[in-house]
Amino acid sequence: MNANGAPWMRRAIEHAHEVRRVTPPNPWVGAVIVNDAGVEIAHGATSAPGGPHAEIAALVAAGPSARGATLYVTLEPCCHVGRTGPCTDAIIEAGISRVIVALRDPDEKVSGRGIATLRAAGVDVVEGLLAEEVSQQLASYLWHRRTGRPLVIAKIASTLDGRVAMADGTSQWITSEHSRADAHELRADCQAIIVGAGTVRSDDPQLTARLDGIIAEPLRVVLGTAPANARVRPCWERTGDLETVLDELGDAGILQVLVEGGPTTTSAFIAQGLAQRIVWYFAPALAGSADGLGALAGLATPSMDALRRGRILGVQQIGEDIRVDVEV
C-alpha cells in the first residue's frame, strides 16, 4: 500500500480524537479531503448522535472543490439510512474520485457494503492505511460491535507493593493529584462506571469526571444496593451475574465502562475474563501487609498518615516486566 497519504490519515485520526466523548454510541470518525495538488481543502469529524457524520461535515466544508479530490476517512462510510442519510451517496454525488479508508466497519448494517457501494459507482477505494492506529482509537466501538458488550477497563490505584487501603480501611489518597486528574480523564472516556456497594458505603464517591470546571456524569452502576443518601445517586443498582450486567449495558449503547470497585469487584471481573484492559496507578509508597504473603510482610501501616512515601526516579519496560526505581 502507498503510505504517502499517512499524514492525511493521521490528521483524520486527530479530528476523530477531538470528538471521542460526544459521539457514542456512534463511532468517533475523522475525515480529510485533499485535492490533486496535495493540499487539504476540508476536514470534518462526526457530531453527536443525530448530527452529520465526518464525511458529510468535510464535504459540506469543501463544497464544489470536493469534485475529483481524495477523501481520507478513519472508518468505512455508512451506506444505510439511520438518523442521517447514507454517507456513500453524498460522497458519490460530490464527485470524490478516491476514498482512503483505514478500517472496515464491523457494524452489520455496513460491514463492507459501504466500500462495495463506492466501488460500484466507480470510486477508487483503498483500505488499510494506518489500520492499527485506528483500531486502537476505536477499540471500544469495535469491541461493542463484535461482542454486543462494552469494553471493560479495570482501574486500580495502589502503593508500589499493591495495597489499596491501609489497616484502618482508609484509602484517600494513595496516589497523587496528577494521577487522580488522569483518572478523571479516563472516566470521561467511559460512558459508565461500575463499583461495588461496599465501595459506595465506605468511600461515598461521586463517580463523576471533573475536568477543568466541567463535570461529566457517566452512568453510575452499583453492584448491590447503594445507601439512600449516597452521592452516586441516581444510579443503576444491579445484582447477580456480571455477564448479564454487561449485556444490559451493551444493549443500552454503552461502549466502554470503567470498573472502579474495590478488590472484590475488580477481582471478579478479571477472574471471569470480563476485563479487557487494566489501568494501574502505582504510588511510590510502601504499606506492607498483615497476612504474611506480601513482598513487605514485615511492614505494617495502620493509617494513611503513616504511609511511607518516596519518589519515582525512573520507569522502564524490560521484556514483559516493568522496572520502577524509587527513592525512599
Side-chain angles (χ1 to χ4, degrees):
M1 176 190 300
N2 187 339
N4 291 338
W8 299 121
M9 187 62 79
R10 286 201 172 87
R11 287 271 290 158
I13 291 172
E14 290 170 3
H15 293 309
H17 180 75
E18 294 169 358
V19 297
R20 70 194 185 281
R21 292 170 180 166
V22 301
T23 67
N26 296 332
W28 36 109
V29 178
V32 172
I33 299 177
V34 179
N35 65 18
D36 287 342
V39 177
E40 179 182 331
I41 56 177
H43 64 263
T46 300
S47 300
H53 291 181
E55 302 94 316
I56 304 301
L59 290 172
V60 169
S65 299
R67 186 160 300 277
T70 297
L71 169 68
Y72 291 84
V73 62
T74 55
L75 191 67
E76 177 182 9
C78 68
C79 55
H80 63 282
V81 177
R83 293 183 180 181
T84 60
C87 289
T88 51
D89 288 0
I91 292 168
I92 295 166
E93 291 169 6
I96 290 287
S97 63
R98 195 175 192 220
V99 176
I100 313 296
V101 179
L103 287 181
R104 288 198 176 203
D105 191 339
D107 190 297
E108 60 182 12
K109 293 189 287 265
V110 187
S111 193
R113 295 183 183 89
I115 290 172
T117 298
L118 292 172
R119 285 176 172 159
V123 179
D124 181 23
V125 181
V126 178
E127 300 179 62
L129 181 62
L130 301 188
E132 182 58 34
E133 291 183 32
V134 176
S135 294
Q136 289 299 316
Q137 183 179 58
L138 286 174
S140 59
Y141 169 79
L142 299 174
W143 179 266
H144 179 269
R145 290 302 189 269
R146 289 166 178 158
T147 68
R149 293 176 176 172
L151 185 142
V152 176
I153 301 174
K155 178 212 136 188
I156 303 170
S158 76
T159 62
L160 199 61
D161 56 329
R163 294 290 299 216
V164 298
M166 303 304 105
D168 63 356
T170 54
S171 60
Q172 295 181 340
W173 297 100
I174 289 176
T175 52
S176 69
E177 182 178 345
H178 293 92
S179 290
R180 298 197 296 276
D182 188 74
H184 280 278
E185 295 283 348
L186 182 59
R187 283 181 181 176
D189 286 337
C190 298
Q191 296 82 55
I193 300 177
I194 299 177
V195 297
T199 294
V200 176
R201 288 191 296 270
S202 62
D203 295 344
D204 193 21
Q206 297 181 63
L207 300 183
T208 57
R210 300 180 288 281
L211 307 170
D212 297 326
I214 298 174
I215 298 179
E217 296 197 44
L219 172 67
R220 277 71 64 93
V221 181
V222 176
L223 302 178
T225 302
N229 60 347
R231 293 194 295 175
V232 296
R233 292 195 177 278
C235 64
W236 280 15
E237 294 172 304
R238 295 295 185 268
T239 58
D241 183 69
L242 294 179
E243 294 193 56
T244 301
V245 174
L246 293 179
D247 287 337
E248 187 177 3
L249 289 170
D251 290 343
I254 301 298
L255 303 184
Q256 184 163 283
V257 302
L258 185 64
V259 175
E260 285 204 69
T264 300
T265 298
T266 303
S267 296
F269 275 92
I270 294 174
Q272 295 180 41
L274 300 177
Q276 284 70 56
R277 296 184 180 180
I278 298 174
V279 175
W280 199 315
Y281 297 95
F282 285 105
L286 305 172
S289 59
D291 56 15
L293 299 177
L296 298 173
L299 192 68
T301 305
S303 66
M304 286 297 300
D305 291 340
L307 185 62
R308 299 156 184 83
R309 295 190 180 273
R311 183 170 67 93
I312 291 180
L313 301 177
V315 179
Q316 60 179 305
Q317 183 168 346
I318 301 178
E320 294 300 312
D321 301 326
I322 295 291
R323 169 177 165 169
V324 182
D325 289 29
V326 179
E327 179 181 75
V328 295

